[in-house]
Amino acid sequence: MRFAIKTRPEHTTWQQMRDVWVAADQFEIFESAWHWDHFYPLSGDMQGPNLEAWTTLAALAQATSRIRLGCQVTGMIYRHPAVLANMAATTDIISNGRLELGIGAGWNEMETAAYGIELYGLKERFDRFDEGTQAMIALLTEKVANFDGKYIKLTEAYCNPKPVQTPHPPITIGGKGPKRTLRAVARWAQQWNVIVPDPQEWKALKDVLVQRCEEVGRDVNEITCSVNVRIDPDSPLDKAVAEAAAYGEAGVDLVIMNLPLDAPPSVLEPLAKALAPLA
């Protein structure tokens, strides 16, 4: 089993989150660190602070040296795919090739309504996501990119400089929709992330992913399967570790431990020791 951490950029400060990531960089058991892409908090006071994903990610890339880093996951509706491709390439360069490119179709109606960002109906949203993913891959891999989609068009488009990682930073697609999301995972992702209540539901979704991979002629074993396990500050750490172990037994490759809100760097050492026997 492999492990990562995730911090919540809500109701916290840049200094607090930076210090946790810098500390996590020192524990080899944590292969990556993640946060989310939202403009409003997802809990508590919705008018409270929430750090923007990609500016903090670039800064965290500079503050760390080993740990891989990503956003779980970037809402495609928030930024034009060509702009996001350039952001990803630059962040990969800043991190010296440590970026995990997390993307999803987006869902937060509160944010989009407040900011005047079009959420689109579900079908169009996923159609735009599919086109956006292909356009990003073209920009990140091709010297000159052209793409003629219904919604996204590239004409003799450049994205220079290119990212450090080739052919492009690994793509993580988040979600559990059996038709659109898992088909997109099978076609383009190097990692699939999903939040589920228990290993049994995960196994059922994994069976669907196997089917989707067969449909596009891809080996499902090429895709890292990751889940999130929340650490409850009011429960013993052993509970979260046992949950992680159960997912490992079900076949999950990577368990991302979601740290409590505003957790200090000191939580990482006991967590690393508790997870070590599972690694």
Side-chain angles (χ1 to χ4, degrees):
M1 289 183 66
R2 294 145 54 194
F3 296 100
I5 65 159
K6 182 177 180 180
T7 56
R8 293 157 59 179
E10 62 176 0
H11 305 301
T12 190
T13 65
W14 153 246
Q15 293 83 0
Q16 174 77 12
M17 190 162 71
R18 177 202 59 201
D19 290 350
V20 172
W21 283 50
V22 168
D25 199 33
Q26 307 305 310
F27 293 93
E28 289 191 7
I29 195 170
F30 303 125
E31 70 170 48
S32 54
W34 303 77
H35 65 4
W36 68 43
D37 182 30
H38 289 286
F39 304 107
Y40 283 16
L42 297 184
S43 68
D45 181 5
M46 298 301 169
Q47 298 180 18
N50 188 87
L51 295 165
E52 194 278 325
W54 277 86
T55 46
T56 55
L57 202 62
L60 290 162
Q62 181 70 13
T64 55
S65 61
R66 177 199 61 85
I67 201 165
R68 298 185 63 79
L69 37 91
C71 176
Q72 195 190 64
V73 288
T74 307
M76 189 73 79
I77 55 174
Y78 293 140
R79 305 165 188 84
H80 190 284
V83 175
L84 183 57
N86 279 269
M87 293 165 61
T90 298
T91 305
D92 197 51
I93 292 167
I94 292 170
S95 68
N96 194 28
R98 292 182 287 126
L99 177 66
E100 299 282 337
L101 179 50
I103 52 175
W107 60 269
N108 196 308
E109 187 173 359
M110 179 184 295
E111 295 173 338
T112 55
Y115 285 2
I117 297 172
E118 188 70 48
L119 183 60
Y120 309 108
L122 199 59
K123 182 183 183 302
E124 181 176 341
R125 197 184 321 158
F126 276 92
D127 288 346
R128 287 176 175 272
F129 175 76
D130 287 351
E131 288 190 10
T133 302
Q134 294 172 82
M136 287 178 61
I137 291 172
L139 283 163
L140 293 169
T141 59
E142 299 173 11
K143 182 177 180 180
V144 183
N146 290 278
F147 186 82
D148 186 20
K150 180 178 180 180
Y151 303 105
I152 307 299
K153 297 183 183 297
L154 304 175
T155 306
E156 301 293 308
Y158 295 90
C159 176
N160 285 320
K162 289 286 188 273
V164 172
Q165 298 179 88
T166 56
H168 54 73
I171 292 173
T172 295
I173 294 179
K176 59 183 179 181
K179 294 181 179 179
R180 299 300 301 268
T181 300
L182 293 185
R183 183 174 289 116
V185 171
R187 294 177 68 186
W188 301 300
Q190 284 71 58
Q191 182 181 149
W192 166 50
N193 176 261
V194 65
I195 299 173
V196 288
D198 57 65
Q200 291 306 310
E201 182 171 331
W202 179 83
K203 289 173 72 173
L205 289 169
K206 175 65 181 294
D207 289 341
V208 177
L209 179 61
V210 170
Q211 180 182 345
R212 296 289 173 259
C213 285
E214 290 174 350
E215 291 168 357
V216 299
R218 187 168 181 205
D219 182 358
V220 71
N221 294 313
E222 296 175 1
I223 302 170
T224 293
C225 296
S226 67
V227 299
N228 291 20
V229 168
R230 179 174 174 267
I231 299 174
D232 186 342
D234 299 321
S235 299
L237 182 59
D238 291 349
K239 181 180 179 182
V241 173
E243 186 177 347
Y247 279 112
E249 291 173 2
V252 170
D253 303 303
L254 173 66
V255 177
I256 300 171
M257 308 300 293
N258 288 212
L259 302 183
L261 179 63
D262 245 5
S266 59
V267 305
L268 295 171
E269 184 172 2
L271 178 60
K273 288 181 178 179
L275 294 173
L278 304 177

